[in-house]
Amino acid sequence: MPAKDLDQIVNLCKRRGFVYPSAEIYGGFRSSYDYGPLGSLMLRNVKESWIRTMVQQRDDTVLIDAAILGPPQVFEASGHLANFSDPLVDCTVCNRRFREDHIEERDCPQGKKGCEFTESRAFNLMFKTTAGPVEGSGADVYMRPETAQGMFVNFANVLQTSRKRPPFGIAQVGKSFRNEITPGNFIFRTREFEQMEMEFFVPPAEGPKWYEYWCQARLDWYVELGIPREMLRIRPHDADELSHYSAGTSDVEFMFPWGWGELEGIAQRTDFDLTQHANASGQKLDFFDQATNERYIPYVIEPAAGANRTMAAFLLAAYDEDVVNEEARTVLRLHPRLAPYKVAVLPLSKKDTLSPLAREIYGKLSQRYMCDYDETQAIGRRYRRQDEIGTPLCVTVDFDSLEDNAVTIRHRDSTEQVRVPIAELLDNVSNILGF
Ligand code: GAP
């Protein structure tokens, strides 16, 4: 039973330390969020799961980490200075600004009555700042609106140093910034967010094949990490939705509580970006295929996902409420790879007699896994807390453990409990988690 209402997740995130409104002690900073002790672990797990699939488990991709600030030349050539804009309308009554495509039949998205909207105008979404101390001295710089340009401007460097040849991919995970006109829906649309992007360079004739391949591969990734297939769909863009660089895009969409929403776009960027940068920089950004004696500018297929809204989707899909021993509980049925903690070590009592053994076990497990240690409150309440934050396994150390050198492993989803020798605990945990 996934969450029906976004507030179920927003409240859980605040209550348990996943996500807080940013600068809350000053009343909050609109549509900005800070990731707390659990959220920062989970967001990292989302990104690491992406890197694991897209880089670690492939021999045709490499990872980079490029600069966030860029000079105007990059965004001039990429077309972002001229084209990366949303249609903005002003309300002459309430003085608010909206994205034109968020207004239905001239109705105010905030539900206000009597709003009157101006004609729309293009509003560039990039954040601009100044490098160095002097404003207006020609030192304008931009905060990247996508990580992708880092891959294009480093194409020649990576080609030379990694000895890859098309088809091959350059991947990156990192922050991007957009001055969104209407951010909202919790961490779905914010002005500062993290992207997980891959530019996959292919011989031009292989473009359609790889586009199909990546649409399917990316859909599969969400399913493998626990999102039910029926909560996902692939939606091809209409021609009037395409970005300035795209010859065809499909989105992987998730059924959010408010309807279908984009998690990721898979775009056919063709040779647009490499050609633009080659022309603007005067550098050669092509590939010479010695086997065929041909020189060509590779085509690019780009799977581009957002880490934050993907985390929201994983939380919404994992949310469940059930009844255990006649008691209602909330449980996050997160895939173990995504769960903030994999194991919680819980001594049955706070008494000094159990703590040394429990801490020793925690010390061993935490060499391999992110673990929690908790010795406060009744054991039932501690289980509920771990269920609510998605911890797949609890290891309970009780007084018998001192005699039989065994502990109890409790499963989050079934609440089943099994007794295992301490000497075999790590193997058992690894078998259950699958890693
Ligand atoms: N390089 C291509 C590109 O940036 P995009 O569809 O604009 O394509 C890719 O962005 C992904 O980044 C989106 O599918 C979404 O998951 C995420 N994203 C984009 N804007 C966002 C925002 N304002 N807040 C959170 N995530 C965002």
Side-chain angles (χ1 to χ4, degrees):
M1 188 188 71
K4 290 195 176 63
D5 186 349
L6 187 63
D7 281 345
Q8 289 172 300
I9 290 300
V10 177
N11 294 339
L12 188 149
C13 281
K14 176 79 201 306
R15 190 169 68 246
R16 292 302 190 187
F18 280 83
V19 181
Y20 312 121
S22 200
E24 199 180 10
I25 58 168
Y26 291 101
F29 178 42
R30 193 174 158 243
S31 299
S32 282
Y33 294 93
D34 296 339
Y35 290 71
L38 299 182
S40 56
L41 291 179
M42 182 170 173
L43 187 61
R44 200 182 71 167
N45 292 342
V46 171
K47 294 182 283 182
E48 280 180 0
S49 298
W50 187 91
I51 291 174
R52 191 168 170 272
T53 303
M54 300 293 274
V55 183
Q56 184 181 326
Q57 296 181 326
R58 304 185 64 99
D59 62 5
D60 57 357
T61 58
V62 291
L63 188 68
I64 64 163
D65 193 347
I68 284 174
L69 293 174
Q73 292 94 313
V74 169
F75 301 108
E76 182 85 57
S78 71
H80 283 84
L81 274 173
N83 300 311
F84 195 59
S85 53
D86 274 343
L88 171 112
V89 294
D90 291 289
C91 171
T92 52
V93 179
C94 73
N95 294 325
R96 284 169 176 269
R97 290 180 161 173
F98 302 104
R99 251 171 75 168
E100 189 184 35
D101 53 338
H102 286 182
I103 293 177
E104 278 173 30
E105 313 237 332
R106 313 292 293 169
D107 277 347
C108 172
Q110 310 276 327
K112 294 211 169 21
K113 295 279 171 242
C115 278
E116 292 285 337
F117 302 110
T118 58
E119 287 302 307
S120 75
R121 61 196 161 90
F123 174 75
N124 194 291
L125 298 179
M126 277 196 295
F127 280 102
K128 186 175 172 181
T129 186
T130 309
V134 188
E135 265 186 61
S137 62
D140 291 344
V141 292
Y142 291 89
M143 295 167 84
R144 64 183 180 192
E146 57 169 7
T147 63
Q149 294 308 318
M151 280 78 107
F152 296 122
V153 299
N154 281 297
F155 172 76
N157 280 338
V158 175
L159 200 60
Q160 256 174 27
T161 52
S162 71
R163 301 165 53 84
K164 298 283 177 210
R165 40 173 296 155
F168 83 103
I170 309 180
Q172 182 170 199
V173 173
K175 288 228 170 176
S176 292
F177 302 82
R178 295 180 191 177
N179 198 359
E180 298 280 3
I181 301 164
T182 41
N185 282 334
F186 190 41
I187 52 176
F188 180 81
R189 183 174 286 104
T190 49
R191 298 199 170 100
E192 173 180 348
F193 54 95
E194 288 194 76
Q195 291 188 306
M196 310 182 289
E197 299 198 293
M198 159 90 77
E199 307 308 319
F200 201 75
F201 300 92
V202 303
E206 293 182 21
K209 179 182 94 179
W210 284 104
Y211 178 57
E212 294 287 311
Y213 168 87
W214 280 114
C215 286
Q216 188 59 47
R218 293 305 306 148
L219 182 73
D220 293 346
W221 184 78
Y222 296 94
V223 177
E224 277 157 25
L225 286 171
I227 297 188
R229 176 65 186 83
E230 64 275 14
M231 295 187 80
L232 295 163
R233 73 174 186 188
I234 296 255
R235 187 185 67 82
H237 278 207
D238 293 333
D240 62 355
E241 286 178 87
L242 292 175
S243 309
H244 62 274
Y245 50 71
S246 176
T249 297
S250 287
D251 286 345
V252 179
E253 293 188 336
F254 173 76
M255 180 46 95
F256 284 94
W258 60 88
W260 290 105
E262 172 187 345
L263 292 179
E264 161 159 8
I266 297 107
Q268 306 185 53
R269 287 183 88 130
T270 68
D271 58 0
F272 175 84
D273 300 86
L274 288 181
T275 305
Q276 290 288 106
H277 285 302
N279 291 342
S281 66
Q283 305 286 318
K284 270 204 170 114
L285 298 179
D286 54 16
F287 174 72
F288 179 66
D289 188 342
Q290 286 175 337
T292 59
N293 229 8
E294 264 182 304
R295 185 174 286 284
Y296 63 85
I297 297 185
Y299 267 34
V300 167
I301 308 300
E302 176 198 63
N308 314 78
R309 60 173 71 169
T310 294
M311 172 170 149
F314 282 129
L315 285 169
L316 286 160
Y319 185 92
D320 196 9
E321 290 170 3
D322 64 3
V323 176
V324 173
N325 298 333
E326 297 178 13
E327 210 187 303
R329 71 164 180 164
T330 300
V331 52
L332 281 185
R333 300 188 191 278
L334 289 172
H335 189 286
R337 286 215 180 263
L338 301 176
Y341 297 125
K342 316 303 178 199
V343 187
V345 178
L346 312 174
L348 192 63
S349 121
K350 211 177 163 184
K351 297 220 171 70
D352 288 348
T353 32
L354 295 182
S355 297
L357 178 60
R359 288 207 173 272
E360 192 186 319
I361 290 171
Y362 173 81
K364 284 204 181 113
L365 288 172
S366 59
Q367 300 268 335
R368 173 125 40 121
Y369 302 111
M370 191 61 75
C371 298
D372 194 12
Y373 181 87
D374 186 3
E375 55 182 21
T376 56
Q377 296 186 321
I379 191 72
R381 292 190 70 163
R382 280 183 278 162
Y383 286 152
R384 296 289 173 276
R385 177 176 180 276
Q386 296 299 334
D387 291 343
E388 200 175 359
I389 65 175
T391 310
L393 300 174
C394 290
V395 168
T396 314
V397 180
D398 55 28
F399 291 101
D400 288 343
S401 305
L402 302 174
E403 306 298 326
D404 65 1
N405 285 319
V407 288
T408 302
I409 297 181
R410 174 188 179 272
H411 293 243
R412 172 197 69 199
D413 292 341
S414 63
T415 72
E416 182 199 356
Q417 304 196 7
V418 284
R419 194 90 182 151
V420 298
I422 294 171
E424 293 165 23
L425 180 61
L426 198 56
D427 282 348
N428 270 277
V429 167
S430 155
N431 285 340
I432 298 167
L433 294 177
F435 53 89

